[in-house]
Amino acid sequence: MSIRAQVISTVNEKGIDEMGPNDLIVKYHSVDVRTRSRLIVYSNQKAVVRFQGQITGVFDPGAHDLQTPANPVSQFFARLQYSGNLPWEVEVLYVSTARHEARSEGATQTKELVPMRYQVAYYFAISDPVKFINSIQFSELKYTVNDFAVFLSPIVDQSVSQVLNMTSLSEIYANLHKVTDAVTASLRSVMDEMGVNLLTCRIVRLEPEDETMRRIIQFTAIGLDPTTAIRARLAEVMAQRSDPAATNMMLGVPYYPINLVIGGAGVLPQIQQITPGIKPSEKPRERGEEE
């Protein structure tokens, strides 16, 4: 951002808005802001002005003229003391009032100590910019949705764990609404104190960390009994390894390789055919010898 004829906005010299769709706060910091500087606030924004760390005003979308302390005597000595710059340090914080989506994810466990992965999505909008600015800390020129999600992650993790730690694996999906209600209540309580309006909250993903357990749950969901679901998962793993016995595992029947059945490849010893009435050590006589 820059000043062009003492105009302050989030649009830079190239006409690009510095406040992106993932930004909650964009800070304009300068000591060159003077009295009658033009402040432009665009739609879905509110501007919070701070003079020397104190909030002096909140401006809605539109064009506004800033008023900085103007005393000719103090300005003269200030210029000498501060090398020509007035000591009125001005910060303009542009706060987004649009609706945003944030996601928090983590790991917890069930009543049987089964590791579970979860992901929660929540939609919100900043209703009180002053409360929001006073509730967070950021050292960069921007404060993003991802930063806000990191701040709320411990609250989401605690809410999810309180429900899942007391729920069995077989009952988790039947009680999924309890997890949603717990997370919504905790987030709304914290966001209200920060000047943020929580619109809605939902559980995007809740599944075991182990891939085999996830697949077994999916197979049982389509109507397979637990034993068949386990065989289906084993058959899937065997098929990925190009194991010819994968189909037999799925059907639950023994697998006999073809070379063992026929006796090929020298696996089974050849069986000597024995004629009745002749001892194995004796050779059969030829027809001419018998005569």
Side-chain angles (χ1 to χ4, degrees), residues 26-95:
V26 175
K27 180 171 67 174
Y28 179 85
H29 174 82
S30 176
V31 296
D32 296 327
V33 178
R34 299 292 187 265
T35 299
R36 307 298 296 176
S37 295
R38 180 56 60 94
L39 175 65
I40 299 177
V41 184
Y42 296 98
S43 58
N44 293 334
Q45 294 179 1
K46 282 191 177 183
V48 179
V49 179
R50 290 195 302 197
F51 285 103
Q52 294 183 341
Q54 182 179 2
I55 295 177
T56 59
V58 180
F59 298 90
D60 294 325
H64 310 274
D65 293 329
L66 295 182
Q67 298 291 334
T68 59
N71 187 328
V73 178
S74 63
Q75 288 183 4
F76 174 75
F77 288 103
R79 288 180 182 276
L80 296 178
Q81 183 179 359
Y82 293 94
S83 302
N85 290 327
L86 292 178
W88 309 112
E89 188 179 46
V90 178
E91 290 178 313
V92 180
L93 303 175
Y94 287 92
V95 181

Side-chain angles (χ1 to χ4, degrees), residues 6 16 22 69 74 100 145 178 200-201 215:
Q6 294 183 344
I16 300 176
N22 196 42
S74 63
H100 297 275
V145 174
K178 295 183 179 180
T200 184
C201 176
R215 295 295 292 165

Side-chain angles (χ1 to χ4, degrees), residues 254-280:
Y255 172 70
Y256 299 102
I258 188 65
N259 57 348
L260 292 180
V261 176
I262 299 179
V267 176
L268 291 180
Q270 295 182 356
I271 301 176
Q272 182 180 3
Q273 185 176 4
I274 300 175
T275 305
I278 300 178
K279 295 182 180 180

Side-chain angles (χ1 to χ4, degrees), residues 146-158:
N146 297 332
D147 297 330
F148 190 49
V150 172
F151 174 78
L152 295 176
S153 291
I155 301 173
V156 176
D157 184 77
Q158 181 180 5

